[in-house]
Amino acid sequence: MTFLRIVLFSLATMFAFTLFANILPQVQSDPPKTEEINESTLDVAGQIAWGQRLFSGRGTCTLCHNDLGRAPDLLQMDLATAFAERIADARYEGEAAGQSGAGAIETYLRESMNAPSAFVVAGFGKKGTNDAESPMPRVDAAPLSLTETETNALIAYLQDLAGEEVTVPLPSAADAQDGADGDGDEAAEEEGPSTSAEDIMDRLGCAGCHDLFGSEADIGPDLAVAAQRLQPEGLRTAILDPNAIIAEGYEADFMPDDYAEQLWVSELNVMIDYLMQLEGAETEQ
Ligand code: HEC
Ligand code: HEC
């Protein structure tokens, strides 16, 4: 009798679990891949195409650069005119000052990525800084940590999009070798869900907007505090359907709403566990 109860209980649990797993939005998985450089990226067309994939993939640029007004909509603007205007702006004191042509645009783009606060496009600065500080994370440091070769590919893509000459160096065979050496464990990750909250959140760009892993980003609210209020269920909603609840003092449409398509169910749970444990750390101290 007891045995049967256990069996029935197990079956019921399994059933509930299956049901639950299926109710979740179809959370699989087209995780942005870390690409290795291969022969086809070694010419200008390949480099531009690689830059385009980085822009919407691992670079997480489209999280902010889109038509929602968080950042200049690089895919819609007249880039050649915009970049020339920035460099000629009376407030501009960066490295491209005094340069001209495609080379100036390369300098401006590299600076925009590696030192975003060198020049902040009017109206897009961090709140309260009077456009002195950019909310954009620098791409050459954690969490993005793009290599110079990747940054060059992004510049090539944006130069091409602006209708300008591509002036950055092509990736070399040596870069390709580095890429192959360095990306070993990331390649392994692509095969299945990651179990590291930091890897998952790096991939999804959470730390670019929230203060996570020491990023000190403040576009989005403090998640240690949010976890206490929301609990696992609320966190799940806040991540999968950000506009369902808008954190007080923040605007809708800021946080990307397509994470469901980029996550494994288990990865969502790893993130939620991580965020809940942030709460634990806070209340204990
Ligand atoms: C967390 C949001 C965010 C992310 C992620 C982000 N940016 Fe930005 N970016 C901004 C904001 C806001 C500005 C405008 C303020 C400024 O000038 O720094 C900006 C400015 C820029 C500019 C200058 C635009 C202009 O009109 O002059 C470039 C170029 C740029 N970003 C490229 C990138 C690239 C490439 C990536 C991905 C590797 C990226 N950004 C990722 C928020 C972001
Ligand atoms: C482009 C910036 C941006 C990115 C990237 C981003 N968020 Fe957010 N997030 C926000 C903003 C702004 C809010 C507040 C508005 C809202 O509630 O939708 C927010 C709200 C939240 C909340 C609710 C907080 C509260 O107090 O109600 C959670 C939880 C959260 N984000 C988790 C994440 C996680 C996890 C990731 C990565 C998978 C992520 N966010 C990526 C900007 C971002």
Side-chain angles (χ1 to χ4, degrees):
M1 198 56 204
T2 319
F3 176 71
L4 184 63
R5 264 203 214 139
I6 291 172
V7 171
L8 284 177
F9 176 76
S10 315
L11 283 176
T13 320
M14 270 159 58
F15 178 70
F17 225 82
T18 317
L19 192 68
F20 179 62
N22 284 311
I23 290 171
L24 271 176
Q26 252 343 290
V27 197
Q28 187 317 130
S29 168
D30 193 10
K33 302 208 158 91
T34 313
E35 271 183 76
E36 284 174 19
I37 307 165
N38 59 37
E39 316 283 277
S40 67
T41 42
L42 294 176
D43 63 16
V44 181
Q47 187 182 37
I48 293 169
W50 184 33
Q52 177 171 20
R53 290 193 297 275
L54 284 167
F55 193 80
S56 54
R58 187 171 117 63
T60 68
C61 318
T62 46
L63 287 182
C64 297
H65 293 283
N66 53 39
D67 60 5
L68 297 174
R70 296 167 192 154
D73 190 353
L74 296 171
L75 301 181
Q76 298 300 324
M77 296 159 35
D78 174 352
L79 295 179
T81 309
F83 297 153
E85 276 172 15
R86 313 289 190 233
I87 297 170
D89 193 297
R91 284 193 301 124
Y92 184 78
E93 290 173 348
E95 286 181 35
Q99 298 180 4
S100 63
I105 292 184
E106 176 185 341
T107 309
Y108 177 72
L109 288 173
R110 195 178 303 281
E111 187 178 70
S112 294
M113 287 186 241
N114 291 343
S117 295
F119 176 77
V120 179
V121 179
F124 286 103
K126 272 195 189 175
K127 264 189 226 147
T129 68
N130 198 16
D131 289 341
E133 254 180 81
S134 174
M136 173 166 153
R138 49 189 292 191
V139 308
D140 60 348
L144 286 176
S145 307
L146 300 184
T147 63
E148 194 178 343
T149 321
E150 289 171 323
T151 306
N152 284 341
L154 281 161
I155 294 174
Y157 168 57
L158 292 171
Q159 284 185 316
D160 181 63
L161 206 59
E164 300 281 341
E165 187 197 335
V166 173
T167 55
V168 288
L170 285 173
S172 66
D175 293 327
Q177 193 50 48
D178 284 353
D181 289 348
D183 287 343
D185 35 5
E186 274 161 299
E189 251 169 52
E190 283 166 23
E191 282 158 25
S194 167
T195 52
S196 149
E198 184 162 3
D199 287 350
I200 299 165
M201 290 165 128
D202 272 2
R203 192 183 83 215
L204 301 173
C206 315
C209 293
H210 296 281
D211 182 7
L212 290 164
F213 312 106
S215 73
E216 291 178 19
D218 61 1
I219 296 179
D222 181 336
L223 295 185
V225 174
Q228 296 183 35
R229 194 182 83 248
L230 294 171
Q231 296 297 303
E233 266 324 299
L235 286 174
R236 192 181 299 273
T237 309
I239 295 168
L240 297 179
D241 187 8
N243 286 336
I245 333 165
I246 308 299
E248 220 184 304
Y250 291 86
E251 282 165 44
D253 285 338
F254 239 84
M255 181 164 148
D257 62 2
D258 60 352
Y259 283 131
E261 288 136 45
Q262 303 179 45
L263 277 170
W264 299 80
V265 179
S266 66
E267 291 183 323
L268 180 61
N269 293 335
V270 168
M271 282 200 293
I272 291 174
D273 287 349
Y274 174 79
L275 294 172
M276 289 309 295
Q277 156 266 307
L278 286 180
E279 169 204 15
E282 282 242 319
T283 40
E284 263 162 35
Q285 273 152 29

